[in-house]
Amino acid sequence: MTAVPQEMTLLEHALTNAVRQTATAFEYAEGTIGTLPVLLCAGGVGKINAAAATATLIERCRPHLVINTGCAGAYPGSGLSIGHLAVASNEILGDEGVLTTGGWRDLRFMELPSFMQGKRAYHNEIPLSKHAAEKAMQLADYYGVLLMRGRFVTVSTCSGTRQRGETLARHFNAIAESMEGAAVAQICLRSGVDCLEIRGISNLVVDRDMSAWDIPRAAESAQRFVLKYLEDLDRPELSAFVQVAPER
């Protein structure tokens, strides 16, 4: 799952026997990478598009794993730079809540879960697959790729000032932000499908200056790593890293 086609171009070129199809209002490419069946979809920018596309395609295809990839902005102090890679341990709904005279408060304060799973209530924080993220970290270590793991924030309004970025980073103890991640993660959690989020850093979250951004580099870095991840999944007997025990 990506937001825009630019974030899946290399992955689509790697598909063999590729076929373009449409599910509801979402176009996707289906094929194989090695022997793995792979589906690619640029669902659109923002949480609404991401959630709808993910839900539609999970319902149609029932995948073993959803990989959400693309670009992200890195928060000041995260240690990330343009072109680096980051993997989400948890996703945070950074906008959902209420603005009070005492400041912003989250869904827990409002006593409004974003969704329930049995008796467990999820508010603003959505966990992703620990198993998939750990495999990504070990693969990155094997290839000498810098991959940082941490909490991501999903926003509807991108942080265009250093002050806003520092506020979110500090409040959520987060390293990066995007506009889709928590939506994809939540749909996967609801559906019982593992979710891995890998993003390339296109910019630092400082006062907005797009002349300093490098979206092509970020998108390429993320896709090249996802290809390595898929290739390794396709050859478990030749795995480049120690197998991680599945979550229980």
Side-chain angles (χ1 to χ4, degrees), residues 165-192:
E166 289 175 345
T167 297
L168 290 174
R170 182 172 58 252
H171 186 87
F172 295 116
N173 189 27
I175 61 173
E177 76 174 33
S178 76
M179 300 179 72
E180 300 84 23
V184 175
Q186 187 177 116
I187 295 298
C188 288
L189 190 60
R190 278 181 175 271
S191 305

Side-chain angles (χ1 to χ4, degrees), residues 148-229:
M148 184 177 293
R149 187 178 181 183
R151 292 149 66 90
F152 288 12
V153 178
T154 298
V155 292
S156 294
T157 300
C158 293
S159 302
T161 66
R162 175 181 288 273
Q163 181 181 16
R164 178 60 175 164
E166 289 175 345
T167 297
L168 290 174
R170 182 172 58 252
H171 186 87
F172 295 116
N173 189 27
I175 61 173
E177 76 174 33
S178 76
M179 300 179 72
E180 300 84 23
V184 175
Q186 187 177 116
I187 295 298
C188 288
L189 190 60
R190 278 181 175 271
S191 305
V193 177
D194 281 351
C195 183
L196 173 67
E197 184 174 3
I198 301 282
R199 290 187 178 268
I201 301 304
S202 57
N203 61 284
L204 301 182
V205 182
V206 293
D207 293 351
R208 190 173 177 86
D209 175 14
M210 290 192 68
S211 68
W213 293 25
D214 196 337
I215 292 173
R217 180 182 173 190
E220 180 178 345
S221 296
Q223 289 175 85
R224 290 196 183 282
F225 186 80
V226 169
L227 280 172
K228 289 183 184 297
Y229 192 94

